[in-house]
């Protein structure tokens, strides 16, 4: 089956630093990937849609300059949290789209900003 | 605004019993729905999906029912097992294949 990986699985950083999270589709190509954020005991909220070879589209209220997305190949999308602050601490999850409807999710990355 | 929501935040069932998790949606134009299972510290795992041209779909131990008249979705798990304990989300596939997730239901299975 389709597998999506994320790296790192968890990261702790100091306030003000930037953190990069990778999302890879391991056995299929994904023109489109999605980035979600999930706070404790809450649902997943879509942050942005990552399109290979073009700019990402962000959901309302998500700062594009703070959450930089790069989708340089059909198997890799990266999310960089710039100048991270404690309120950015969250569980970040990506998904990759195979075909027209099916999304496969990564295992998530736990970000803790001190 | 439009949303996908759940009626019950927590459901406790006895091992071996059947579980029913409910979900209400408000966008009558939605035509594709998915149920996901999420275990602690992990990403969502696909369980079953259904399109709006169907009202029932069955998988292994799971059944999804769709009532378009009242915009209601349910997930039935037969013979619930301890390994079924997790958070369950319904999701609505909207424009551009964007998923809108419901609030989630915690399923606790008592042995």
């Amino acid at each position: 089956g389709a597998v999506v990986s994320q790296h790192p699985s968890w990261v702790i950083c100091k306030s003000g630093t930037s953190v990069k999270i990778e999302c890879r589709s391991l056995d299929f190509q994904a023109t489109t990937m999605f980035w979600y954020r999930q706070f404790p005991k809450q649902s997943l909220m879509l942050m942005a849609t990552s399109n290979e070879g073009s700019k990402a589209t962000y959901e309302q209220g998500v700062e594009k300059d703070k959450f930089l997305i790069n989708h340089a190949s059909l198997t890799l999308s990266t999310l960089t949290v710039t100048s991270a602050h404690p309120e950015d601490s969250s569980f970040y999850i990506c998904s990759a789209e195979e075909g027209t409807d099916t999304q496969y999710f990564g295992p998530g990355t736990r970000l803790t900003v001190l | 605004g439009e949303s996908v929501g759940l009626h019950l935040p927590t459901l406790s069932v006895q091992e071996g019993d059947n579980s029913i998790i409910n979900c209400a949606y408000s966008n009558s134009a939605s035509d594709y729905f998915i149920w996901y299972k999420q275990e602690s510290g992990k990403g969502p795992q696909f369980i079953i999906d259904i399109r709006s041209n169907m009202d029932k779909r069955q998988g292994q131990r799971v059944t999804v029912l769709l009532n378009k008249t009242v915009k209601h979705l349910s997930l039935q798990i037969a013979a619930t097992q301890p390994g079924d304990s997790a958070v369950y989300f319904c999701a609505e596939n909207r424009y551009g294949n964007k998923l809108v997730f419901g609030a989630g239901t915690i399923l606790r299975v008592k042995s």
Side-chain angles (χ1 to χ4, degrees), chain B residues 53-71:
Chain B
N53 61 353
M54 303 172 69
D55 53 21
K56 180 179 180 179
R57 190 159 187 228
Q58 287 185 293
Q60 187 177 12
R61 281 201 308 119
V62 294
T63 301
V64 55
L65 300 178
L66 175 62
N67 186 330
K68 295 181 288 293
T69 302
V70 295
K71 289 182 282 188

Side-chain angles (χ1 to χ4, degrees), chain B residues 13 45 47 77-78 80 100 105:
Chain B
V13 299
Q45 177 186 353
I47 301 173
I77 304 174
T80 312
V100 176
T105 293

Side-chain angles (χ1 to χ4, degrees), chain B residues 17-70:
Chain B
D17 288 351
N18 296 335
S19 303
I20 300 176
I21 300 172
N22 296 302
C23 177
Y25 65 95
S26 55
N27 188 345
S28 56
S30 295
D31 61 0
Y32 181 49
F33 304 88
I34 312 108
W35 280 101
Y36 289 95
K37 172 186 180 183
Q38 186 180 29
E39 297 176 311
S40 181
K42 297 183 179 179
Q45 177 186 353
F46 173 91
I47 301 173
I48 193 168
D49 59 1
I50 190 168
R51 296 194 180 276
S52 60
N53 61 353
M54 303 172 69
D55 53 21
K56 180 179 180 179
R57 190 159 187 228
Q58 287 185 293
Q60 187 177 12
R61 281 201 308 119
V62 294
T63 301
V64 55
L65 300 178
L66 175 62
N67 186 330
K68 295 181 288 293
T69 302
V70 295

Side-chain angles (χ1 to χ4, degrees), chain A residues 3-113:
Chain A
V3 179
V4 176
S5 70
Q6 283 184 238
H7 178 80
S9 56
W10 60 270
V11 56
I12 301 173
C13 70
K14 293 182 178 180
S15 184
T17 61
S18 295
V19 175
K20 180 185 285 188
I21 302 170
E22 294 183 348
C23 177
R24 294 181 185 272
S25 56
L26 298 185
D27 49 3
F28 66 100
Q29 294 183 329
T31 304
T32 303
M33 293 183 175
F34 300 89
W35 286 96
Y36 297 82
R37 180 168 52 185
Q38 184 178 32
F39 292 107
K41 300 189 185 303
Q42 294 188 23
S43 189
L44 284 76
M45 296 296 295
L46 179 65
M47 299 174 66
T49 302
S50 173
N51 301 295
E52 188 268 336
S54 64
K55 291 183 178 180
T57 55
Y58 291 81
E59 295 301 300
Q60 189 173 8
V62 178
E63 300 175 59
K64 63 179 181 180
D65 294 331
K66 181 168 184 61
F67 298 100
L68 301 179
I69 291 173
N70 183 277
H71 195 153
S73 77
L74 288 172
T75 59
L76 173 64
S77 174
T78 60
L79 169 69
T80 301
V81 183
T82 62
S83 187
H85 291 282
E87 58 267 28
D88 298 322
S89 297
S90 188
F91 194 49
Y92 291 87
I93 306 171
C94 73
S95 70
E97 190 174 82
E98 184 186 37
T100 56
D101 285 335
T102 307
Q103 289 186 35
Y104 295 93
F105 284 82
T109 296
R110 174 75 59 193
L111 170 63
T112 302
V113 185

Side-chain angles (χ1 to χ4, degrees), chain B residues 1-22:
Chain B
E2 295 184 316
S3 65
V4 179
L6 295 176
H7 295 302
L8 300 174
T10 304
L11 176 66
S12 293
V13 299
Q14 196 67 38
E15 181 179 358
D17 288 351
N18 296 335
S19 303
I20 300 176
I21 300 172
N22 296 302

